[in-house]
């Protein structure tokens, strides 16, 4: 091969190489652009999902607050204690690992024990006396459950833990008495501090909010029941309309086989 021909071939190869490199660059560039576009789309989708998730979480939090206020309003009616006190006391109970259910049960049972003791029940009077807790104030008025609970807490703060403390607690507060011991062991001052902290954190539920929350949930229940009523009506009409058809299909199927029964039902529609 002479030098001239070799030079021509080298130049041709170089030209093809430059063309191939340009094609490769364009291909890679297009692929990268596609990847970047896909990443951007995915990112936007994730952001959208995040927004939706945040909205759902926020809505769930609000509904949770409404349900809590509804529960406080009902508990207020059962115990005679103000919604504000109950919501703060609920916070104090949670800090002491006392469940809302136990707090509710304990307060209701304590109210009963107070009423029975005030009415002359000797066993209840003896239990309160063992704690050094009186059931009436200076004017002779029967104390409320929260007042008695605070007095019991002061006694529990200095009493030794054990069977005696548990026994009198269960006797006056029912099965929740045992679980509520940690709440009272710090004394009334500790309970009041936790209740004040709840108020500072904005966790106090007002009587107005509690009442409106109960009304809100009641209206949701009414709407749900109204929807159920419509379903029952539509279901009844559907059963009436198809009942004869299904009965005929069942009869023919029993007598002539399943395909004949199916055909008989179709003919009736």
């Amino acid at each position: 091969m002479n030098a001239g021909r070799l030079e021509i071939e080298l130049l041709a190869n170089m030209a093809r190489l430059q063309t191939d490199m340009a094609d490769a660059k364009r291909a890679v560039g297009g692929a990268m652009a596609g990847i970047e576009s896909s990443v951007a789309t995915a990112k936007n989708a994730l952001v959208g999902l995040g927004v939706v998730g945040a909205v759902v979480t926020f809505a769930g939090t609000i509904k949770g607050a409404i349900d809590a206020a509804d529960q406080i309003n009902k508990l207020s009616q059962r115990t005679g204690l103000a919604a504000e006190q109950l919501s703060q006391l609920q916070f104090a109970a949670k800090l002491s690992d006392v469940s809302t259910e136990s707090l509710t049960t304990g307060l209701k049972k304590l109210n009963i024990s107070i009423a029975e003791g005030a009415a002359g029940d000797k066993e209840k009077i003896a239990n309160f006396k063992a704690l050094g807790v009186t059931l009436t104030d200076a004017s002779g008025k029967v104390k409320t459950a929260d007042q008695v609970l605070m007095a019991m807490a002061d006694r529990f703060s200095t009493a030794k833990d054990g069977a005696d403390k548990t026994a009198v607690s269960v006797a006056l507060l029912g099965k929740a008495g045992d679980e509520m011991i940690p709440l009272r062991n710090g004394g009334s001052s500790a309970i009041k501090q936790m209740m004040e902290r709840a108020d500072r954190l904005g966790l106090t539920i007002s009587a107005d909010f509690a009442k409106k929350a109960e009304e809100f949930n009641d209206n949701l229940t009414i709407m749900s029941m109204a929807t159920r009523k419509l379903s029952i009506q539509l279901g009844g009409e559907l059963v009436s309309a198809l009942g004869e058809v299904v009965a005929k299909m069942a009869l023919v199927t029993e007598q002539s086989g399943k395909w004949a029964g199916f055909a008989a039902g179709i003919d009736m529609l």
Side-chain angles (χ1 to χ4, degrees), residues 122-195:
K122 294 182 179 180
E123 182 180 350
K124 291 297 186 295
I125 292 174
N127 284 322
F128 281 117
K129 187 176 181 179
L131 291 173
V133 176
T134 59
L135 296 179
T136 56
D137 57 21
S139 64
K141 184 179 179 180
V142 177
K143 293 179 179 178
T144 59
D146 62 316
Q147 291 174 325
V148 173
L149 184 69
M150 292 299 184
M152 291 177 65
D154 286 334
R155 295 291 296 173
F156 268 52
S157 65
T158 58
K160 182 180 179 181
D161 291 330
D164 291 340
K165 179 186 284 190
T166 300
V168 71
S169 186
V170 171
L172 295 175
L173 285 84
K175 62 181 182 180
D178 182 25
E179 187 179 346
M180 288 181 66
I181 289 176
L183 173 64
R184 290 167 292 165
N185 269 347
S188 62
S189 60
I191 295 177
K192 289 176 182 177
Q193 287 175 6
M194 289 186 284
M195 292 174 69

Side-chain angles (χ1 to χ4, degrees), residues 108-128:
K108 288 192 294 184
K109 179 60 178 177
L110 180 58
N111 256 335
I112 294 173
S113 295
I114 293 171
E116 291 176 344
D121 186 299
K122 294 182 179 180
E123 182 180 350
K124 291 297 186 295
I125 292 174
N127 284 322
F128 281 117

Side-chain angles (χ1 to χ4, degrees), residues 33-161:
I35 292 173
E36 290 175 358
S37 177
S38 298
V39 170
T41 301
K43 183 178 179 180
N44 291 334
L46 289 174
V47 170
L49 288 174
V51 171
V52 172
V55 170
V56 171
T57 300
F58 183 62
T61 301
I62 292 177
K63 186 59 170 66
I66 292 173
D67 290 342
D70 181 4
Q71 184 183 47
I72 287 293
N73 195 57
K74 288 182 171 65
L75 181 57
S76 177
Q77 297 172 52
R78 293 170 185 156
T79 63
L81 300 182
E84 291 82 359
Q85 286 178 296
L86 285 171
S87 59
Q88 294 169 4
L89 194 57
Q90 189 178 63
F91 175 78
K94 287 183 178 180
L95 291 182
S96 302
D97 291 330
V98 177
S99 68
T100 299
E101 181 181 0
S102 291
L103 177 65
T104 301
T105 302
L107 287 175
K108 288 192 294 184
K109 179 60 178 177
L110 180 58
N111 256 335
I112 294 173
S113 295
I114 293 171
E116 291 176 344
D121 186 299
K122 294 182 179 180
E123 182 180 350
K124 291 297 186 295
I125 292 174
N127 284 322
F128 281 117
K129 187 176 181 179
L131 291 173
V133 176
T134 59
L135 296 179
T136 56
D137 57 21
S139 64
K141 184 179 179 180
V142 177
K143 293 179 179 178
T144 59
D146 62 316
Q147 291 174 325
V148 173
L149 184 69
M150 292 299 184
M152 291 177 65
D154 286 334
R155 295 291 296 173
F156 268 52
S157 65
T158 58
K160 182 180 179 181
D161 291 330

Side-chain angles (χ1 to χ4, degrees), residues 216-232:
F216 177 84
N217 276 345
D218 286 348
N219 287 329
L220 285 183
T221 301
I222 292 171
M223 292 171 61
S224 176
M225 295 304 292
T227 302
R228 182 182 176 188
K229 176 184 177 182
L230 178 60
S231 299
I232 292 173

